Amino acid sequence: MTIASMPDSATWLETNTWDRPDWTIDELVSSKRGRTISVVLPALNEEATVRSVVESIAPLSGSLIDEIVVVDSGSTDATIDEAIAAGARVETRETALPGVDIRPGKGEVLWRSLAATTGDIIVFVDSDLIDPDPMYVPNLVGPLLSNPDLHLVKGYYRRPFTGTSGVEPSGGGRVTELVVRPLVAALRPDLSGVIQPLAGEYAGTRELLTSVPFASGYGVEIGLVVDTVKRHGIDAIGQVNLGVRRHRNRPIHELGVMSRQIVATLLDRLGIEDSGSPLTQFVMEDGGHQLRRSYPAVEDRPAMNSMLVDPVRIASN
Ligand SMILES: O=c1ccn([C@@H]2O[C@H](COP(=O)(O)OP(=O)(O)O[C@H]3O[C@H](CO)[C@@H](O)[C@H](O)[C@H]3O)[C@@H](O)[C@H]2O)c(=O)[nH]1
Ligand SMILES: O=C(O)[C@H](O)COP(=O)(O)O
């Protein structure tokens, strides 16, 4: 079944999916018409990959892209040095938004990046990508530059998976397939045409991103999708085919922790009460079942535009 022939969400899929993007860089640069573009890479201990991700984007600096910023999430390895060596500006959580208590999590650094960048359009790209295609960023901004009704553009792609027997051509996106897609089908079927709701590669207007709350952990992406629809309707979301995406595949127990955070944010956005209980896992270690508990990070950061106009709030957050 092709995308366009899926039975539900058919209209949205046809009009808001770019399956074969073919913009040239020159076309995109001329369609900026005064708008500026920031690229933000969240990074926590990504010394092995951050340099090549920045290098895949840096040639567009000064033309399509106005700034590339790695927002470090508290790395203890050489992530910051590698990012600077590749030509990125680096912000820490403190320098990005001084004077505001620091919380752990990916959403926290994405939220802080809004205060440390100036682009009218902001493109987020994960920094654990392997062999990222240099067209990721151009293709993510293409729909936004050409369609004033869009506020959020998600990437989608084939997702190889690296297991014990090597790289499989597909099978990646385990949280997406086993947790998020079934929950979306059960609770928000109107969103089931979004092919990669958790994609870490997406672009949004500053207008949208500064007007919605951010979950501070891994719930940030699903929260943004639901909040965009709440604010502007599903027609404000687009999706674009980025080809293939490989990244570091985490072990299953780490994805369990991630999933718990995503479930908490999704339920919160849908007004469904969550017990707030921790995820209990039994991880095989030291020859036995080791009990681990992890609490979901449910506390959201408020819309950044409310922080920027209210210095008292900044001081007290
Ligand atoms: O506390 C954190 C955790 C992660 N990251 C960075 O965020 C990116 C993605 O994190 P990762 O742990 O690799 O997530 P994935 O396994 O790739 O999970 C998928 O699903 C997540 C939940 O929706 C999304 O946040 C991811 O972008 C998406 O790729 C990487 O650059 C990390 O370095 C931080 O900056 N701070
Ligand atoms: O998007 C996801 O579902 C998670 O990032 C897990 O991806 P993986 O199965 O490719 O590691």
Side-chain angles (χ1 to χ4, degrees):
M1 180 179 283
T2 63
I3 288 169
S5 69
M6 270 178 68
D8 50 10
S9 317
T11 309
W12 178 82
L13 275 167
E14 275 176 41
T15 55
N16 287 37
T17 300
W18 280 261
D19 197 44
R20 287 164 208 253
D22 60 359
W23 298 285
T24 66
I25 303 294
D26 286 345
E27 284 167 349
L28 293 170
V29 170
S30 46
S31 63
K32 280 175 80 178
R33 281 188 240 98
R35 286 169 291 184
T36 53
I37 298 176
S38 305
V39 178
V40 168
L41 285 76
L44 177 61
N45 293 329
E46 304 293 7
E47 65 179 7
T49 49
V50 68
R51 182 190 282 246
S52 68
V53 181
V54 172
E55 285 173 350
S56 74
I57 302 163
L60 299 168
S61 237
S63 58
L64 183 62
I65 289 165
D66 298 276
E67 58 182 348
I68 305 180
V69 183
V70 170
V71 189
D72 186 73
S73 185
S75 299
T76 51
D77 68 0
T79 294
I80 291 180
D81 293 342
E82 289 291 313
I84 292 171
R89 191 177 105 217
V90 174
E91 298 281 351
T92 63
R93 291 173 292 186
E94 177 57 34
T95 62
L97 186 58
V100 177
D101 70 296
I102 290 171
R103 295 182 192 159
K106 181 191 179 191
E108 172 79 2
V109 287
L110 297 189
W111 180 73
R112 283 173 185 265
S113 77
L114 303 175
T117 54
T118 56
D120 301 306
I121 291 171
I122 299 163
V123 187
F124 295 126
V125 178
D126 282 354
S127 49
D128 66 325
L129 301 180
I130 298 167
D131 295 333
D133 189 319
M135 286 305 286
Y136 280 1
V137 170
N139 285 333
L140 284 166
V141 297
L144 282 174
L145 290 174
S146 55
N147 187 332
D149 296 329
L150 290 178
H151 280 280
L152 183 72
V153 173
K154 299 289 293 186
Y156 68 91
Y157 16 60
R158 175 168 67 79
R159 302 191 59 171
F161 178 72
T162 308
T164 45
S165 51
V167 182
E168 304 288 338
S170 58
R174 290 162 290 169
V175 175
T176 307
E177 302 305 328
L178 297 173
V179 178
V180 173
R181 226 183 278 295
L183 276 176
V184 164
L187 301 172
R188 283 298 298 261
D190 58 313
L191 301 178
S192 43
V194 180
I195 300 172
Q196 292 290 335
L198 303 187
E201 293 66 44
Y202 53 106
T205 59
R206 177 169 291 274
E207 182 192 338
L208 168 76
L209 295 171
T210 57
S211 65
V212 288
F214 272 51
S216 49
Y218 283 116
V220 62
E221 277 79 28
I222 196 68
L224 283 174
V225 168
V226 176
D227 286 339
T228 302
V229 175
K230 196 184 291 174
R231 202 168 179 85
H232 294 288
I234 189 140
D235 288 336
I237 298 185
Q239 58 185 348
V240 63
N241 189 349
L242 301 182
V244 180
R245 177 202 195 249
R246 275 183 68 203
H247 71 149
R248 170 222 330 98
N249 298 110
R250 291 189 180 279
I252 200 82
H253 64 271
E254 292 183 18
L255 297 187
V257 176
M258 174 188 291
S259 301
R260 177 71 184 96
Q261 296 180 17
I262 292 168
V263 167
T265 300
L266 182 60
L267 294 184
D268 173 71
R269 292 303 190 275
L270 301 184
I272 299 170
E273 194 177 350
D274 185 312
S275 69
S277 298
L279 174 74
T280 302
Q281 293 174 301
F282 298 91
V283 180
M284 289 307 291
E285 240 175 37
D286 304 327
H289 293 86
Q290 306 300 332
L291 188 150
R292 284 200 203 153
R293 290 214 162 100
S294 5
Y295 285 86
V298 279
E299 208 178 342
D300 287 342
R301 287 301 198 174
M304 183 55 81
N305 60 13
S306 72
M307 301 286 288
L308 297 177
V309 296
D310 186 354
V312 177
R313 189 160 192 187
I314 291 182
S316 64
N317 261 272

